[in-house]
Amino acid sequence: MSTPLDDQTRFYLRNWERIETWLALRSEAIDSVKTAIIAAVEGLDPTVVTDASMRWEQAIDSTFPTFELSKPNWCLDDRTVAVALQWQQQKQPRKVSDASLWPWIGIRVSGGSAKDIAAVRLWKQLAEPAAGLQWHERELGTGWLWWKRLHPIGAGDDLDTLTQACRDGLHAGWSRMSGPIDDWFRRE
């Protein structure tokens, strides 16, 4: 006696060859996105990101590569506050909802949670300039005070526009957020 199959399982069994072919392309797509993001970082205009310390906070080959623009005095205890660009290059996501190729940009407190009193005060202080950048999302538990997802402009396969979106996002983020962050640290 066989076990009854649900609709999703039946669909997979009917289409498994095509599904596996598409899944095999994921690694190539991730490498292409990675190349586009690296090009964005390498093409930053130093006259726009003046006074910024630039660094890869997490290695380029890690699961969550993270590029940060910060200043030496932007520290909450042992954690750094930064304008950050991050993406997930997980080759085999645990679930479909984890499977986005596109990076996100925002204000990040490195080292995990940003739920302490100082980080929450900074989060509130940055609400207005973050809204001006359309950084409406927040995940204080993972250190992201404000963020938004970046996508290629127009067709999803035009990674030159993703490079431009990342570069523009870093430039705009630094230009709009470095002053308010400096002001907050001067007062704290």
Side-chain angles (χ1 to χ4, degrees):
M1 181 166 175
S2 64
T3 305
L5 301 174
D6 64 20
D7 290 340
Q8 289 178 332
T9 304
R10 279 196 297 279
F11 176 85
Y12 180 82
L13 290 173
R14 282 193 310 271
N15 297 286
W16 74 269
E17 288 176 314
R18 282 181 271 175
I19 292 169
E20 292 299 322
T21 299
W22 281 94
L23 286 174
L25 296 174
R26 182 170 178 77
S27 182
E28 289 177 36
I30 288 170
D31 289 343
S32 296
V33 169
K34 177 179 168 179
T35 299
I37 293 170
I38 291 169
V41 167
E42 290 175 350
L44 286 174
D45 183 345
T47 64
V48 175
V49 292
T50 56
D51 301 326
S53 298
M54 296 184 262
R55 72 184 184 120
W56 286 100
E57 197 277 326
Q58 291 189 33
I60 193 72
D61 292 322
S62 69
T63 301
F64 289 96
T66 308
F67 179 77
E68 294 184 338
L69 298 170
S70 188
K71 291 187 179 182
N73 64 315
W74 289 6
C75 294
L76 294 174
D77 302 318
D78 60 343
R79 298 165 301 153
T80 302
V81 175
V83 173
L85 177 68
Q86 186 178 69
W87 75 101
Q88 182 177 14
Q89 55 182 1
Q90 191 172 352
K91 307 287 187 200
Q92 294 294 327
R94 290 182 301 277
K95 55 188 177 184
V96 174
S97 62
D98 291 340
S100 178
L101 290 174
W102 309 131
W104 51 95
I105 189 165
I107 298 298
R108 180 175 180 266
V109 177
S110 65
S113 179
K115 291 183 175 183
D116 57 277
I117 293 169
V120 170
R121 281 198 314 259
L122 178 59
W123 167 70
K124 289 177 182 177
Q125 174 73 28
L126 298 177
E128 188 175 319
L133 292 164
Q134 297 178 347
W135 294 356
H136 300 297
E137 303 293 331
R138 61 185 173 271
E139 291 182 28
L140 300 181
T142 61
W144 286 92
L145 303 183
W146 296 104
W147 65 275
K148 78 171 183 177
R149 178 110 27 210
L150 298 173
H151 303 272
I153 300 162
D157 63 348
D158 185 355
L159 293 184
D160 289 340
T161 65
L162 179 64
T163 297
Q164 191 63 46
C166 292
R167 186 177 303 128
D168 291 350
L170 286 166
H171 285 156
W174 185 256
S175 296
R176 296 280 300 271
M177 299 303 269
S178 62
I181 295 171
D182 280 338
D183 292 346
W184 187 84
F185 275 105
R186 273 194 286 277
R187 287 193 303 271
E188 284 299 307

